[in-house]
Amino acid sequence: MMSQNILHTGKRVHNMALQQIQAIPEELFDVQPPQFNNTIRWHVGHMIVTLNYFLYKATSFQFEIPEVYGRLFSPGTKPSDWTVAPPTKEELLECISGQLKGLEGISAASLEEPLKQPVDLGPMHFENAGELVNFALIHEAMHLGNIASMLKVIKQA
């Protein structure tokens, strides 16, 4: 039952992310207020890359994203270091939509399984697929909060 709840919440959070990102004008995607380390485009791309990573580690999730996304949006990257053009808002939205469809294919039973290899993220240690997927959702929600904060700052400038 708990695993089914995680998946249900995951689909809702990811759909909410899709709707919120769709509503942001693309001309705001690359504005970087001085109070922030990254841009909205970076946060969206980072959400895609990390959700793919966590779901791949936790389940049989297979959604292919362009290889360049890892170089642009992995932890520790930033737009000021980019040497290639980033994906458009539309391309990012296509990935988010594809991931949402992919979430439909994850079974609740798979979240009860132990990970093939435990995952350590700083002080956090994950041994169970459901734990890692749950963290992935929290991570995505944190970045949605960052995007919302950035939009407030950008609109007040």
Side-chain angles (χ1 to χ4, degrees):
M1 180 68 167
M2 182 62 84
S3 295
Q4 189 62 41
N5 289 341
I6 290 171
L7 288 173
H8 183 71
T9 300
K11 291 176 215 170
R12 283 188 166 176
V13 168
H14 205 66
N15 191 49
M16 184 175 66
L18 178 63
Q19 291 174 3
Q20 286 182 343
I21 294 162
Q22 282 174 327
I24 302 169
E26 187 162 10
E27 60 266 14
L28 301 182
F29 267 49
D30 297 308
V31 176
Q32 184 173 340
Q35 301 91 332
F36 294 91
N37 296 328
N38 284 302
T39 62
I40 291 170
R41 188 177 312 274
W42 183 88
H43 281 284
V44 174
H46 180 73
M47 288 166 47
I48 292 166
V49 167
T50 54
L51 184 64
N52 251 37
Y53 172 79
F54 291 136
L55 292 181
Y56 174 77
K57 288 283 192 185
T59 70
S60 59
F61 185 78
Q62 294 285 328
F63 180 76
E64 205 166 312
I65 58 175
E67 185 180 323
V68 71
Y69 281 31
R71 292 193 315 265
L72 297 171
F73 305 120
S74 289
T77 62
K78 58 185 184 284
S80 61
D81 291 339
W82 293 348
T83 58
V84 297
T88 64
K89 173 185 173 181
E90 196 57 41
E91 290 168 328
L92 294 169
L93 288 171
E94 286 174 22
C95 284
I96 294 170
S97 295
Q99 287 179 322
L100 187 57
K101 289 176 187 161
L103 282 168
E104 298 288 337
I106 297 174
S107 72
S110 71
L111 297 188
E112 300 298 328
E113 298 293 321
L115 297 170
K116 291 177 184 136
Q117 286 189 332
V119 173
D120 291 308
L121 298 169
M124 297 176 286
H125 180 77
F126 303 98
E127 293 189 12
N128 172 285
E131 292 172 331
L132 190 56
V133 170
N134 199 39
F135 176 77
L137 302 175
I138 292 167
H139 179 263
E140 187 162 80
M142 287 174 14
H143 282 279
L144 282 175
N146 287 340
I147 290 170
S149 296
M150 289 182 80
L151 282 171
K152 286 180 182 177
V153 170
I154 291 167
K155 289 178 179 179
Q156 289 181 350

